[in-house]
Amino acid sequence: MTDYREKYLEMLKIVEQKIDEYVKFKHPTSIYEPFRYIMDSGGKRIRPMLAMICCGAVCGEPERALNGAVAIEILHNFTLAHDDLMDNSPFRRGRQTIHLKWDEPTAILTGDVMVGCAYALLPNFEQNRSASRIYEEFTKALIVVCEGQALDMEFDRKPSVVLADYFEMIEKKTAALLTASAAIGARCGDADEDLLKLIKEYAWNLGIAFQLQDDLLDLTADEANFGKKIGQDIIEGKKTYLILKANEKALDLESRKLLDNFYIHHGLPEEKVPAVRAMMQQYGVFNDIATEIDSFYRIAKSNLEKLPQSEYKEMLCWLTDTLLRRNY
Ligand code: IPE
Ligand code: IPE
Ligand code: MG
Ligand code: MG
Ligand code: MG
């Protein structure tokens, strides 16, 4: 397959320039400084790139989706600012999180203003005749992500969570925004309903694989690469795929004790993280999740096959393969 890296990086540069242009300091700096800080801290920019490439895949001109793409990236960064507060995460993208570098009210209000700014960037009816549909996709995604985050939090204290609950939760907290990114991109390119449906299915499968992978990386990544604290999900008592699967499979006394403590205390102290990792290794849980990830990626790729031939379709295939191998 052709290496689309160079073309991808060219498009990424356009997205980065637009972000840069948008997040100039405004008044009051108490919210715009942290806003700029999180937007400037890197990130893979998967969502805006998905919007741009999906727009290209339906009309050939990715830049028609540029404003919508940046709006989505701002919305994503809002979810991260609030997620870090909710998850007590000390750093992200290798930098201290907003609620620690500043304080909690700052993280809340910065997140709020980001939602407003994201809306302000969406195309209006004069710019795009699908504007009302784009708004709809965007609002729906915002609501569903909040619902997913609510489930994520509820599950911390709920002992009876099963894998089906987990999949509902990640569909909402993560796949919904990837799906909206692709859909908004396609709508910016005036895609017809059939094409839109395909593109959404693709992004949904990609989104599920993406969150499973994030959960896996929480325990297996290199901290410097990942940019987030390793084991934070275990410390915080998150009912990830890994924990639920381990809970299904683990039988020996030692592992049962570890898991029971995780469930009773809604998480474990940091020093227990290596033992949790070893237990998951012992019961083949990392292999299970890898198989699961692979199968969602395969479905995502098969969704792409039905798209009309174009270099952007090929680029989506390349991106999907690249994401499957990610280590951050
Ligand atoms: C982090 O998203 C939150 C998840 C949905 C897993 P990303 O992994 O896309 O984060 P950045 O934007 O690249 O930092
Ligand atoms: C990501 O969940 C979902 C959202 C931010 C909406 P996580 O809590 O797993 O994300 P990270 O790992 O902190 O990036
Ligand atoms: Mg988190
Ligand atoms: Mg979270
Ligand atoms: Mg995570």
Side-chain angles (χ1 to χ4, degrees), residues 228-245:
K228 301 188 269 196
K229 189 178 169 77
I230 298 301
Q232 187 67 11
D233 289 342
I234 300 301
I235 298 167
E236 284 298 307
K238 294 294 169 197
K239 304 286 185 340
T240 67
Y241 181 97
L242 299 172
I243 277 290
L244 298 173
K245 200 75 181 174

Side-chain angles (χ1 to χ4, degrees), residues 25-315:
F25 278 122
K26 293 185 194 131
H27 186 74
T29 52
S30 56
I31 50 174
Y32 287 109
E33 206 181 305
F35 183 167
R36 190 185 165 92
Y37 171 84
I38 190 166
M39 295 304 298
D40 267 359
S41 63
K44 297 179 285 297
R45 313 294 199 206
I46 297 308
R47 295 158 190 81
M49 289 303 288
L50 208 53
M52 298 275 284
I53 307 171
C54 287
C55 183
V58 302
C59 76
E61 282 175 60
E63 282 190 53
R64 283 176 62 181
L66 185 56
N67 280 13
V70 172
I72 291 161
E73 182 62 14
I74 293 173
L75 190 74
H76 163 60
N77 279 263
F78 138 74
T79 72
L80 299 181
H82 281 192
D83 177 74
D84 286 337
L85 176 58
M86 290 153 59
D87 291 349
N88 291 307
S89 298
F91 49 91
R92 168 171 302 280
R93 299 169 177 164
R95 286 195 195 177
Q96 203 174 19
T97 43
I98 296 179
H99 66 282
L100 292 181
K101 188 170 165 73
W102 284 271
D103 51 30
E104 294 186 359
T106 301
I108 295 169
L109 202 59
T110 300
D112 294 343
V113 80
M114 291 173 86
V115 178
C117 290
Y119 266 103
L121 255 172
L122 287 176
N124 58 32
F125 196 71
E126 276 104 70
Q127 291 156 333
N128 194 301
R129 63 191 169 96
S130 306
S132 66
R133 291 310 191 106
I134 293 168
Y135 263 78
E136 242 170 59
E137 301 279 3
F138 199 80
T139 303
K140 192 174 83 193
L142 171 56
I143 293 171
V144 174
V145 170
C146 292
E147 291 172 359
Q149 288 287 74
L151 291 177
D152 180 294
M153 300 286 289
E154 283 176 25
F155 290 178
D156 292 355
R157 297 196 160 260
K158 189 173 161 188
S160 60
V161 179
V162 293
L163 276 171
D165 303 319
Y166 167 84
F167 277 103
E168 184 201 348
M169 183 268 283
I170 67 167
E171 168 177 3
K172 292 186 165 172
K173 77 169 180 178
T174 302
L177 194 52
L178 270 89
T179 306
S181 309
I184 288 170
R187 287 205 186 273
C188 287
D190 295 321
D192 65 42
E193 292 300 318
D194 288 344
L195 220 47
L196 197 72
K197 189 163 170 275
L198 266 180
I199 280 180
K200 280 186 174 184
E201 266 172 37
Y202 157 71
W204 186 88
N205 285 301
L206 183 71
I208 299 287
F210 191 81
Q211 184 61 52
L212 281 161
Q213 220 170 356
D214 181 73
D215 290 355
L216 172 61
L217 290 169
D218 179 77
L219 275 177
T220 56
D222 169 70
E223 195 163 85
N225 264 337
F226 196 37
K228 301 188 269 196
K229 189 178 169 77
I230 298 301
Q232 187 67 11
D233 289 342
I234 300 301
I235 298 167
E236 284 298 307
K238 294 294 169 197
K239 304 286 185 340
T240 67
Y241 181 97
L242 299 172
I243 277 290
L244 298 173
K245 200 75 181 174
N247 195 41
E248 268 178 29
K249 292 177 106 179
L251 293 169
D252 69 288
L253 217 59
E254 194 85 354
S255 301
R256 287 313 328 161
K257 218 168 98 189
L258 198 59
L259 282 161
D260 288 348
N261 274 327
F262 174 90
Y263 274 82
I264 292 165
H265 301 292
H266 317 297
L268 289 169
E270 191 173 353
E271 60 269 22
K272 296 285 182 200
V273 169
V276 172
R277 188 184 294 115
M279 182 252 301
M280 288 176 176
Q281 192 68 264
Q282 181 191 340
Y283 284 97
V285 173
F286 295 135
N287 290 333
D288 295 337
I289 199 171
T291 308
E292 202 82 61
I293 291 167
D294 198 58
S295 93
F296 281 101
Y297 271 113
R298 273 173 207 274
I299 304 171
K301 293 257 323 243
S302 74
N303 297 138
L304 287 181
E305 275 164 26
K306 298 175 207 137
L307 288 180
Q309 205 47 47
S310 76
E311 62 172 326
Y312 296 107
K313 168 186 168 169
E314 295 302 322
M315 204 179 206

